[in-house]
Amino acid sequence: TLRHAHLTALQAVLDRRATEMSKEVLDATYKGIWMASSAGSSGVAGVTAHMVKEAFPAPAVERIFAGINERAVLAMLARTRKDGLKISDRVWRTSERARHSVQHIVEDAVVRGQDARTTAKQVQKYLQPGVWTVHKEELRRRLRVHTDVSYEAMRLARTEMNNAFHEGMVAANQHSPGYQGIYWRLSAQHPVPDVCDDMAADMSNGEAGFYPKGQEPVRPHPQCFCNTFPAYERPERFTERLREWVHNPQLQPDIEKWYNEDARRFMGRPALLVLPQETPLAKVLREKEAKIAGLAHERVYVFDRNGNEVLGKKGTKTSVSFTPDEVKLMAGRDVILTHNHPSYGGSFSWPDANFAIGNNLAEMRAVGQEYVHSLTRPVSGWPSVETVKIEYDLANQEILRRIHVKLQQGQITIDEANRGHYHEVWMLIAGKLDLNYVRKRRVQ
């Protein structure tokens, strides 16, 4: 049986080992946080390098994110949680609970004259991280022994790794041009409803679980395994804006801000990009669209692939109609139809799309003061009118709902809603039906 002399010697050993284990746990947690944060930001660096590849070399872009990741980790290590403790304090507190529990068990064993083998089995549970330590309820109450100290250590480590990955990913994305926000999605390992369900269903920003840049939430509770996905601007649209920025930085203030704040210290301004040579068709489209963009009535031009005009026609303030003979002129000629939208300069209405698909146009274009919208026939051919109409109606309902929420919250004006309405609809449809839909800033 254990004697008082045994306890004195054993307590010294346990104190020394508790200190060693606390340091080991803290070192392992710190290392895991660095690794998790790096994993969260590494993908962002790759996406950003791909987005800006026309203007900047990939190695220079990666250097930007090395510093961002380091700052994110240091901020995380210094931050206090809801309990008022930093990560290091929480590790030591957890270790202290384990040490005190072991001490109480050993002291009790000495008083009772319990044999060393039984005592060793009880103590051993506290020296195996990840094992849920369970003792009889009577013993736990009498000795004030924490039943979950080993589990708590594992929970702490898991929580901080998840936090590090999430915060590293968010911090990196916030320094990536083209980033728009994150989507919050529940994990498959989510058996009990909690605050995460509310976050995934939150519609305050127009989409379920979407949080714009600068409003990203933190992990709301320990061992949160929810998934977060970054939302980016469509690559082809960002490439167009990047080219505009290279030639005139004032046209794209958000890219200019990113360059000045994040990129300038690592790389100089890129040389003017060599823009693709303008084809005869592109030239005639640009010239005609410049003339009709500001008209108070609709005007249509139809061209073949060589830039030859097939048809030109004036319409009313809201529409243009065609005779059967005019429709026949377009049949079988692989034509491009461009027209203006006088009111808000928005994207395609359903009659526009119905005419393009129903007459197998090569491309339909809609021109406003600011943008040119393009809907190009896929290589595999247009989907059926019925298929597109079903998706159009569903997308239109969803976008109208989002617009209603944003209007109520004062995030947009009615004019902004009208200008962007159909563009948002076609952004949803294009992804589902693999349509070639693009909105470009109109070249003056």
Side-chain angles (χ1 to χ4, degrees):
T1 58
L2 291 170
R3 304 297 181 189
H4 189 274
H6 295 153
L7 174 61
T8 302
L10 181 58
Q11 182 163 343
V13 174
L14 289 173
D15 284 345
R16 184 169 64 252
R17 181 57 185 146
T19 301
E20 293 172 355
M21 289 183 68
S22 295
K23 187 176 184 305
E24 291 170 3
V25 171
L26 188 60
D27 289 346
T29 302
Y30 278 7
K31 182 178 180 180
I33 286 172
W34 278 99
M35 294 173 64
S37 181
S38 297
S41 63
S42 61
V44 181
V47 170
T48 303
H50 178 75
M51 295 277 278
V52 301
K53 63 184 179 182
E54 284 200 10
F56 299 108
V61 176
E62 290 171 1
R63 287 197 294 273
I64 297 174
F65 290 92
I68 291 170
N69 184 60
E70 182 175 355
R71 292 196 298 273
V73 171
L74 293 176
M76 183 177 176
L77 296 179
R79 187 180 308 140
T80 57
R81 302 294 179 187
K82 293 180 180 179
D83 55 11
L85 299 176
K86 298 178 183 178
I87 293 173
S88 57
D89 299 325
R90 296 176 68 215
V91 169
W92 284 98
R93 186 184 67 173
T94 300
S95 300
E96 278 293 290
R97 286 179 180 174
R99 189 176 70 82
H100 289 155
S101 294
V102 169
Q103 182 176 333
H104 291 158
I105 292 170
V106 174
E107 289 174 345
D108 183 69
V110 172
V111 172
R112 290 172 173 269
Q114 182 173 281
D115 68 279
R117 189 182 301 272
T118 301
T119 304
K121 287 182 179 178
Q122 291 181 340
V123 171
Q124 188 179 27
K125 294 180 179 180
Y126 283 89
L127 306 180
Q128 297 181 46
V131 176
W132 189 303
T133 310
V134 178
H135 289 286
K136 291 182 180 179
E137 184 66 18
E138 183 274 332
L139 175 67
R140 189 192 68 76
R141 285 201 308 268
R142 180 165 54 82
L143 299 182
R144 300 186 304 279
V145 171
H146 289 274
T147 60
D148 65 344
V149 285
S150 294
Y151 175 75
E152 185 181 20
M154 182 62 72
R155 180 179 60 197
L156 187 154
R158 280 178 174 170
T159 298
E160 297 307 337
M161 304 301 160
N162 288 337
N163 288 343
F165 182 91
H166 175 75
E167 295 189 27
M169 182 269 291
V170 169
N173 271 308
Q174 288 180 340
H175 293 272
S176 178
Y179 167 68
Q180 297 175 328
I182 64 168
Y183 289 96
W184 190 278
R185 296 292 182 260
L186 295 177
S187 165
Q189 301 176 10
H190 189 80
V192 180
D194 59 17
V195 63
C196 293
D197 293 80
D198 297 331
M199 293 171 65
D202 188 292
M203 296 292 297
S204 59
N205 296 302
E207 294 184 74
F210 179 70
Y211 296 87
K213 178 180 179 180
Q215 299 179 30
E216 302 90 342
V218 298
R219 298 279 178 179
H221 60 76
Q223 297 208 108
C224 174
F225 293 109
C226 288
N227 301 306
T228 53
F229 303 97
Y232 275 87
E233 187 175 352
R234 289 173 69 91
E236 61 272 17
R237 170 61 187 139
F238 182 82
T239 298
E240 291 291 333
R241 295 204 305 115
L242 182 67
R243 290 172 179 168
E244 289 182 358
W245 171 78
V246 170
H247 288 265
N248 186 351
Q250 303 310 313
L251 289 178
Q252 301 298 337
D254 61 317
I255 300 180
E256 177 69 3
K257 183 174 183 289
W258 168 79
Y259 174 75
N260 287 327
E261 294 181 357
D262 295 308
R264 191 168 196 161
R265 76 191 79 169
F266 299 99
M267 46 203 178
R269 286 191 180 273
L272 292 180
L273 300 175
V274 178
L275 300 178
Q277 180 130 11
E278 191 174 48
T279 64
L281 175 60
K283 181 181 179 182
V284 73
L285 284 171
R286 176 175 56 79
E287 292 174 348
K288 290 291 188 182
E289 288 170 351
K291 291 181 179 180
I292 66 176
L295 296 180
H297 57 82
E298 285 201 13
R299 177 82 189 189
V300 167
Y301 287 100
V302 181
F303 302 93
D304 64 21
R305 287 292 192 182
N306 296 318
N308 300 311
E309 185 175 330
V310 175
L311 178 67
K313 190 170 185 179
K314 178 181 176 180
T316 67
K317 186 175 181 180
T318 58
S319 66
V320 176
S321 59
F322 297 98
T323 67
D325 289 338
E326 289 169 337
V327 173
K328 288 179 182 179
L329 284 175
M330 306 179 211
R333 299 186 63 174
D334 212 28
V335 298
I336 295 92
L337 184 153
T338 186
H339 68 300
N340 62 319
H341 280 171
S343 53
Y344 293 103
S347 189
F348 305 106
S349 64
W350 173 246
D352 288 337
N354 187 33
F355 186 84
I357 298 169
N359 292 285
N360 197 31
L361 302 187
E363 183 182 4
M364 168 77 78
R365 297 165 67 89
V367 184
Q369 291 277 26
E370 188 175 4
Y371 295 106
V372 176
H373 307 81
S374 171
L375 191 59
T376 307
R377 183 180 60 211
V379 175
S380 58
W382 293 109
S384 69
V385 171
E386 293 76 12
T387 298
V388 180
K389 184 64 163 67
I390 290 172
E391 293 297 336
Y392 176 89
D393 289 341
L394 291 173
N396 194 39
Q397 292 174 17
E398 172 64 16
I399 295 303
L400 286 174
R401 185 187 58 74
R402 295 182 193 179
I403 288 174
H404 178 69
V405 171
K406 291 180 179 179
L407 285 171
Q408 283 188 320
Q409 296 179 349
Q411 297 180 18
I412 58 174
T413 65
I414 292 178
D415 280 355
E416 290 171 335
N418 285 327
R419 283 196 297 270
H421 174 193
Y422 289 127
H423 169 64
E424 296 298 328
V425 170
W426 285 104
M427 289 286 284
L428 281 183
I429 298 173
K432 293 182 179 180
L433 298 181
D434 198 27
L435 296 176
N436 300 317
Y437 171 75
V438 178
R439 182 176 75 170
K440 299 180 181 179
R441 195 175 295 275
R442 188 172 65 82
V443 178
Q444 301 296 327

